[in-house]
Amino acid sequence: MTRSELKTQAKETLRGRWGEAIAIIVVYQVIIGVMSAISQSIPFGGILQIVITVPISFGLIGQMIKFSRGEKTGVLDFFKMGFDNFSKSWSIYFSVFLKMLAPVIAYVLSIVILVAYSIMVSTDMLDDNLIVILGILAIVFTLASSIWLMVKSYLYQLTSYIGNDNLEMPGKEVAKKSEDIMNGHRWEYFVLNLSFIGWALLSILTLGIGLLWLIPYVQITNVKFYEYIAEINK
């Protein structure tokens, strides 16, 4: 199925239901915004924000799946769906975290090396030849670790979709299934999401108002992609 076909399906799904989809996204963003504001004013607020965001983000994907399939949903269903599956969402999160640990460590290490390199250059601790050689090595390592991190992360882009469709499946198996069905389709998914960049730029020109339509459009298109990929990998 082409990107155009996936987007057409998404627009057909949203036809006559844009208001419902926008309401869901607005309520979700308001909750996220309120939590962010509260987290900055209380001790360990950042941790609390993450604890809450993981399940409701999982719930939002579940609600978008139901919406895409024509099921009636309320604007706050994502909240209930997320906390009804609190342990499930965190099981998936930890499973993906463990899978991503190596590229994350490599990326963090590359940033540390770049900072250390910058300090050494600014304090004249290196001669000119070493500055060039170490600079090239630091940049190459940073680029390589960044690409590794992004490429591997795409293997797990469908974990929340799979998890919502298979609530009995352990988080570890969800991560593995996402690996299996995304293998060979990462570039396809990357290009699909990249194809919305024009709409994103237009949304910025409308002071973000356009995002109210763009986000549901992207969300439903991603659901269509998931269903298509899952079907051809049965």
Side-chain angles (χ1 to χ4, degrees), residues 18-36 52-53 56-57 59-60 63-64 73-80 83 211-212 215-216 219:
W18 279 102
E20 182 183 345
I22 290 171
I24 293 168
I25 297 301
V26 167
V27 172
Y28 174 80
Q29 293 294 344
V30 167
I31 290 175
I32 293 295
V34 169
M35 287 194 305
S36 178
I52 296 174
T53 300
I56 66 172
S57 296
L60 179 65
Q63 186 167 4
M64 290 295 102
T73 62
V75 294
L76 274 170
D77 281 7
F78 65 85
F79 200 87
K80 183 178 185 302
F83 280 93
L211 291 173
L212 296 176
I215 294 174
Q219 289 279 359

Side-chain angles (χ1 to χ4, degrees), residues 72-120:
K72 184 67 177 177
T73 62
V75 294
L76 274 170
D77 281 7
F78 65 85
F79 200 87
K80 183 178 185 302
M81 292 171 68
F83 280 93
D84 282 350
N85 297 286
F86 184 89
S87 59
K88 171 75 174 183
S89 64
W90 271 100
S91 172
I92 294 172
Y93 180 89
F94 277 123
S95 296
V96 173
F97 175 77
L98 291 175
K99 294 275 190 180
M100 292 295 300
L101 193 56
V104 167
I105 290 174
Y107 177 73
V108 172
L109 182 59
S110 73
I111 299 301
V112 172
I113 291 173
L114 273 179
V115 171
Y117 171 76
S118 299
I119 292 172
M120 287 187 288

Side-chain angles (χ1 to χ4, degrees), residues 46-168:
I47 295 174
L48 178 62
Q49 183 179 359
I50 294 172
V51 169
I52 296 174
T53 300
V54 168
I56 66 172
S57 296
F58 180 81
L60 179 65
I61 296 298
Q63 186 167 4
M64 290 295 102
I65 291 173
K66 286 189 173 185
F67 185 99
S68 177
R69 294 171 182 172
E71 299 180 34
K72 184 67 177 177
T73 62
V75 294
L76 274 170
D77 281 7
F78 65 85
F79 200 87
K80 183 178 185 302
M81 292 171 68
F83 280 93
D84 282 350
N85 297 286
F86 184 89
S87 59
K88 171 75 174 183
S89 64
W90 271 100
S91 172
I92 294 172
Y93 180 89
F94 277 123
S95 296
V96 173
F97 175 77
L98 291 175
K99 294 275 190 180
M100 292 295 300
L101 193 56
V104 167
I105 290 174
Y107 177 73
V108 172
L109 182 59
S110 73
I111 299 301
V112 172
I113 291 173
L114 273 179
V115 171
Y117 171 76
S118 299
I119 292 172
M120 287 187 288
V121 170
S122 64
T123 55
D124 294 324
M125 294 176 64
L126 302 171
D127 61 40
D128 291 342
N129 290 331
L130 274 178
I131 286 176
V132 174
I133 294 171
L134 292 180
I136 293 173
L137 290 176
I139 292 171
V140 168
F141 182 47
T142 301
L143 288 174
S145 61
S146 300
I147 293 171
W148 183 23
L149 180 64
M150 184 179 71
V151 169
K152 186 158 187 179
S153 71
Y154 268 80
L155 287 174
Y156 308 106
Q157 293 295 314
L158 299 184
T159 51
S160 290
Y161 300 87
I162 296 167
N164 272 286
D165 260 350
N166 302 271
L167 293 175
E168 76 292 342

Side-chain angles (χ1 to χ4, degrees), residues 180-201:
D180 293 340
I181 67 176
M182 279 298 285
N183 192 27
H185 297 284
R186 283 176 286 185
W187 177 251
E188 187 178 347
Y189 187 67
F190 172 77
V191 174
L192 174 63
N193 282 278
L194 189 64
S195 67
F196 290 102
I197 192 168
W199 290 110
L201 292 174

